[in-house]
């Protein structure tokens, strides 16, 4: 009732940020435990790769491609008992909102670190012993960056591996969590929430897990937390977000598999659209 009276008194002068704060919503209209809208496309790139996928988490868009298993370029890179995974994360020049310069994936510290994290995450899920003395190449392109690009890259890589037919122990789902200025936990942080809260550095914890096994394969927090209980709360929130993301990934895999079965049985329909040329008399 108090909020209703306040809205009537303010009238049209009420700003969107004020309305969201009065409704206890985040800057993009979500509740604290809600993830961003997820859209997936599997098999988007048909040439020069075994599998590909595009994942959109809110305004963050990531394209992942997979090649392999292929022969190692150098004999010294081969492992006799398992395959190796080569990961490279790149950003498009139009991806960040501010700096438009092209980041070098071989010298940029953040891209190198995220490539290493993505590699360790996928090594925990892929059955590498089935492809000894071979290599699996993973290339990730960040097409739009509004925060949470590492979880989006992990989710896109998982779908690309499934599209390439690489056997996995379980699908890998990823999500992030943090702490708001009021002290509560937030799930799936965007760029604004990753930067700061009230002038203080934000608590940001990306997490990746195998949902059917309940195993956490990636969890990294560079912020300072007050207590171990606070870390447990943030990690639990991130795992809940991972389970919510896993439902979207599993639904996308089922839909893609159903379309492949229909196409294999010869019952798929192909639609063609032609633009009629305009002629002037």
């Amino acid at each position: 009732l108090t909020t209703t009276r306040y809205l009537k008194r303010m009238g049209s002068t009420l700003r969107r940020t004020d309305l969201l704060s009065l409704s206890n919503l985040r800057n993009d209209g979500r509740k604290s435990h809600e993830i961003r809208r997820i859209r997936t496309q599997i098999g988007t790139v048909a040439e020069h790769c075994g599998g590909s996928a595009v994942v959109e988490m809110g305004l963050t868009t990531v394209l992942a491609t997979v090649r392999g298993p292929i022969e190692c370029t150098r004999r010294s890179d081969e492992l006799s008992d398992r395959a190796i995974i080569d990961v490279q994360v790149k950003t498009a020049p139009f991806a960040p909102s501010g700096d438009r310069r092209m980041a070098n994936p071989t010298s940029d510290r953040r891209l190198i670190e995220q490539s290493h994290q993505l590699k360790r995450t996928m090594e925990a899920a892929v059955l590498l012993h089935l492809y000894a003395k071979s290599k699996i190449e993973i290339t990730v392109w960040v097409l739009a960056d509004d925060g949470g690009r590492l979880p989006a890259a992990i989710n896109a890589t998982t779908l690309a591996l499934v599209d390439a037919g690489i056997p996995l122990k379980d699908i890998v789902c990823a999500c992030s969590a943090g702490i708001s200025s009021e002290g509560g936990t937030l799930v799936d942080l965007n760029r604004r929430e990753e930067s700061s809260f009230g002038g203080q550095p934000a608590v940001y914890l990306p997490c990746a897990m195998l949902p059917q096994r309940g195993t956490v394969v990636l969890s990294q927090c560079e912020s300072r937390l007050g207590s171990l209980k606070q870390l447990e709360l943030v990690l639990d929130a991130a795992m809940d977000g991972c389970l919510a993301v896993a439902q979207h990934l599993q639904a996308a895999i089922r839909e893609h598999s159903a379309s492949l079965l229909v196409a294999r049985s010869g019952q798929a329909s192909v639609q063609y659209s032609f633009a009629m040329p305009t002629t002037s008399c």
Side-chain angles (χ1 to χ4, degrees):
L1 183 60
T2 305
T3 305
T4 305
R5 291 178 179 177
Y6 179 76
L7 294 176
K8 291 182 179 179
R9 183 179 301 177
M10 295 298 295
S12 60
T13 61
L14 188 66
R15 297 181 300 178
R16 180 178 181 273
T17 55
D18 298 331
L19 181 60
L20 291 175
S21 62
L22 288 172
S23 303
N24 293 326
L25 299 177
R26 297 152 71 174
N27 56 9
D28 53 2
R30 291 180 293 149
K31 296 181 181 180
S32 59
H33 63 278
E34 291 180 342
I35 63 175
R36 292 175 290 181
R37 181 185 58 184
I38 298 179
R39 292 181 178 180
T40 58
Q41 298 179 19
I42 303 178
T44 55
V45 181
E47 298 181 357
H48 308 296
C49 66
S52 61
V54 174
V55 169
E56 299 179 11
M57 299 183 67
L59 299 179
T60 301
T61 305
V62 173
L63 166 65
T65 60
V66 174
R67 291 182 66 242
I70 59 177
E71 186 179 359
C72 295
T73 307
R74 296 178 298 182
R75 183 65 64 87
S76 59
D77 295 336
E78 293 182 356
L79 297 178
S80 59
D81 58 340
R82 62 185 180 90
I84 64 173
I85 297 180
D86 186 15
V87 179
Q88 194 170 29
V89 179
K90 305 178 181 180
T91 58
F94 49 82
S97 57
D99 192 3
R100 297 290 179 174
R101 292 176 298 180
M102 186 72 174
N104 190 351
T106 60
S107 60
D108 188 89
R109 183 182 60 86
R110 291 186 177 181
L111 293 181
I112 295 176
E113 182 180 0
Q114 291 180 351
S115 300
H116 183 62
Q117 292 173 344
L118 184 57
K119 177 181 179 181
R120 289 187 303 167
T121 302
M122 292 302 126
E123 286 178 345
V126 179
L127 298 177
L128 299 176
H129 65 277
L130 299 179
Y131 305 104
K133 298 182 180 182
S134 62
K135 178 176 65 172
I136 300 175
E137 290 185 353
I138 299 174
T139 305
V140 175
W141 278 97
V142 181
L143 305 179
D145 187 6
D146 187 46
R149 64 180 182 181
L150 178 59
I154 294 174
N155 297 328
T157 302
T158 299
L159 296 181
L161 288 171
V162 172
D163 185 37
I166 305 297
L168 305 173
K169 301 175 184 177
D170 191 4
I171 64 172
V172 187
C173 54
C175 189
S176 62
I179 299 179
S180 64
S181 57
E182 291 81 10
T185 57
L186 300 177
V187 177
D188 194 9
L189 277 65
N190 55 32
R191 173 178 283 274
R192 183 176 178 182
E193 294 170 340
E194 288 179 4
S195 58
S196 63
F197 283 106
Q200 299 295 327
V203 175
Y204 175 70
L205 186 146
C207 176
M209 64 178 297
L210 307 178
Q212 296 183 1
R213 296 175 174 236
T215 305
V216 176
V217 294
L218 174 66
S219 177
Q220 181 175 354
C221 182
E222 299 179 356
S223 306
R224 180 174 297 180
L225 297 173
S227 61
L228 181 60
K229 182 179 180 180
Q230 199 174 29
L231 175 61
E232 293 177 352
L233 292 176
V234 177
L235 184 57
D236 290 341
M239 293 178 64
D240 292 339
C242 290
L243 295 178
V245 172
Q247 297 179 0
H248 290 273
L249 299 185
Q250 291 171 355
I253 294 173
R254 294 192 188 98
E255 182 180 358
H256 182 65
S257 301
S259 62
L260 291 180
L261 290 175
V262 172
R264 186 175 182 180
S265 61
Q267 300 178 0
S269 60
V270 181
Q271 297 180 357
Y272 296 94
S273 60
F274 299 92
M276 299 298 296
T278 58
T279 58
S280 57
C281 298

